[in-house]
Amino acid sequence: MLVEPPTDFSAAPQVALQVAYDGTHFQGYQVQPGCRTVESELKKALGRFLGHIPSLICAGRTDAGVHAYCQVVSFRTASPIPLERYAQALNRMLPGDVRVLQAFAVPADFSARFQAKARHYRYILAPLSQTPTLRHSVWQTPFEVPFEPLAEAWHRVKGPHNFKAFCKSGSYRTNFDIDVRWTHCWQHESYVVLEILAESFLYNMVRSLVGSAVDVARGKYPLHQIARALETQDRQYVRLTAPPQGLYLYHVLYPDLPVSLRVPGVHDWPVPQGDFPDSCEKMAIL
């Protein structure tokens, strides 16, 4: 019978996994009673593989429908199974919408959550098309979103602000001060990609910011609407929340990770030359 690890696992070695998933059919990352979640699938597979169910710590708890290219999960285990066997074995046990990209040893004091220097999220929009396969991977907007006004509005969220207005009720956070270190907006064919980098994010913060930027770009509200929401911390100035299917946990930055996390391309789209900092440059931003 599989059980949660006993207290003496606190002295066991630590392992970390880089995990990618399609969030379409998950009710988010975190375990919830009666719901299909990424964490519950990982725990089931790890329980079979290790012989015990480890306590997992993740880099960021994504919401229902949100995807991840670079979720990092850490846990303790006394299992002697070699790390090079983890990815292949676990992927045989996991459903097809969750993949373990790599497993690696981390120091005893490592925490996937607390030692992350920054999280990088990416949001993808595209006009509504006749391609049904896109419906779960991008926000297909049924209206035109002008690029230049969108890029200008997106740039306005950069910097240290109180983002309480962009946090949906139900958050465990009591401090809403976030320093957004980097934002970027770029195009590939008919797709628009919004990038954002910060140490942490509030509940629904990125989707609320995207929705507000889209509202401004469409002329529904003036550009200073975003500044007004930031200054007043009043959610009445935040109307539209972008849907989850366009959002990706794209990368997580750690100062001294023993391996390089695999950063995928976005649907194999070329990123504009000079527009996209690599991991080292991102760390310098911080």
Side-chain angles (χ1 to χ4, degrees), residues 20-174:
Y21 48 86
D22 175 346
T24 303
H25 300 296
F26 288 109
Q27 293 300 308
Y29 170 83
Q30 189 176 19
V31 166
Q32 302 174 54
C35 295
R36 183 176 187 256
T37 68
V38 177
E39 186 179 20
S40 63
E41 295 291 353
L42 285 173
K43 283 193 167 190
K44 283 190 290 186
L46 284 165
R48 291 175 56 193
F49 182 60
L50 300 173
H52 71 89
I53 302 176
S55 295
L56 305 182
I57 298 174
C58 73
R61 293 178 293 184
T62 53
D63 298 331
V66 175
H67 317 296
Y69 285 134
C70 188
Q71 178 69 272
V72 179
V73 177
S74 59
F75 57 92
R76 295 185 181 275
T77 180
S79 171
I81 299 173
L83 290 172
E84 56 267 24
R85 289 184 52 195
Y86 272 62
Q88 185 175 22
L90 288 170
N91 286 336
R92 290 197 195 103
M93 303 172 187
L94 286 164
D97 46 4
V98 187
R99 295 291 88 179
V100 174
L101 303 186
Q102 59 178 324
F104 48 94
V106 287
D109 62 349
F110 179 81
S111 167
R113 177 185 175 191
F114 292 111
Q115 289 187 292
K117 188 76 171 175
R119 284 87 175 164
H120 172 182
Y121 278 90
R122 172 170 287 183
Y123 198 95
I124 306 172
L125 305 90
L128 187 64
S129 72
Q130 303 300 314
T131 308
T133 55
L134 291 176
R135 71 191 189 282
H136 296 312
S137 60
V138 302
W139 178 16
Q140 293 187 295
T141 59
F143 40 73
E144 182 183 359
V145 183
F147 176 75
E148 294 299 336
L150 179 66
E152 185 176 3
W154 191 242
H155 177 70
R156 296 298 178 98
V157 309
K158 183 181 177 181
H161 302 287
N162 184 312
F163 283 93
K164 184 177 181 180
F166 295 92
C167 179
K168 189 175 179 180
S169 61
S171 172
Y172 67 93
R173 296 280 293 263
T174 56

Side-chain angles (χ1 to χ4, degrees), residues 4 11 37 49 77 129 134 172 182 189 202 211 216 221-222 227 255-256 258:
E4 296 285 345
T37 68
F49 182 60
T77 180
S129 72
L134 291 176
Y172 67 93
W182 177 68
E189 297 176 353
L202 305 171
V216 169
Y221 302 103
D256 298 304

